Amino acid sequence: MAPNGARAEEKGTGDAVADVWQLVRDYAKQETIDPLKSIGRFLGWGIPGAVFLGLGLVFATLAILRVLQTETGSSLTGSLDVIPYVVAFVVTALVAALAARAITKPNRDSEAGR
């Protein structure tokens, strides 16, 4: 009788192919399916959040515009009636710039660990 170590070396070609196939399948699952599940959860919260933030910005811009149009009385009439639109646009552009800056700013927590 051969010792147990020799028996492990006598694996057939079919067993080796099955082991390689199992290894490749597990690796593919680890590197593709699991990250896709994580992305799905991220998008599941990210898309509704972006929609609600976008709607909030639209409503806030309309509120700024309407307040400036109604509460300033006759001071922003005639040739000055464009000022509420400019102010609403500038506020919206500032919010968009701050959002873009926050998105592109490097994550300080991940840099501290390097």
Side-chain angles (χ1 to χ4, degrees):
M1 237 189 215
N4 287 339
R7 190 168 197 201
E9 292 176 9
E10 295 175 6
K11 253 182 170 175
T13 306
D15 291 338
V17 169
D19 288 346
V20 169
W21 174 251
Q22 181 70 29
L23 182 66
V24 168
R25 191 171 63 92
D26 291 343
Y27 178 76
K29 180 181 177 187
Q30 173 187 342
E31 296 298 321
T32 57
I33 294 172
D34 293 342
L36 287 175
K37 287 180 182 177
S38 297
I39 289 172
R41 284 190 295 269
F42 178 77
L43 291 176
W45 287 104
I47 291 174
V51 168
F52 287 133
L53 284 174
L55 285 172
L57 181 60
V58 167
F59 290 139
T61 303
L62 285 174
I64 291 168
L65 177 63
R66 296 302 173 217
V67 162
L68 288 174
Q69 286 177 335
T70 58
E71 298 299 323
T72 56
S74 62
S75 58
L76 294 179
T77 58
S79 63
L80 299 177
D81 65 348
V82 74
I83 290 178
Y85 294 99
V86 172
V87 170
F89 175 76
V90 168
V91 169
T92 304
L94 285 174
V95 170
L98 289 173
R101 184 173 180 232
I103 291 170
T104 59
K105 184 173 27 172
N107 190 355
R108 293 181 184 163
D109 293 338
S110 65
E111 288 182 2
R114 288 184 185 178

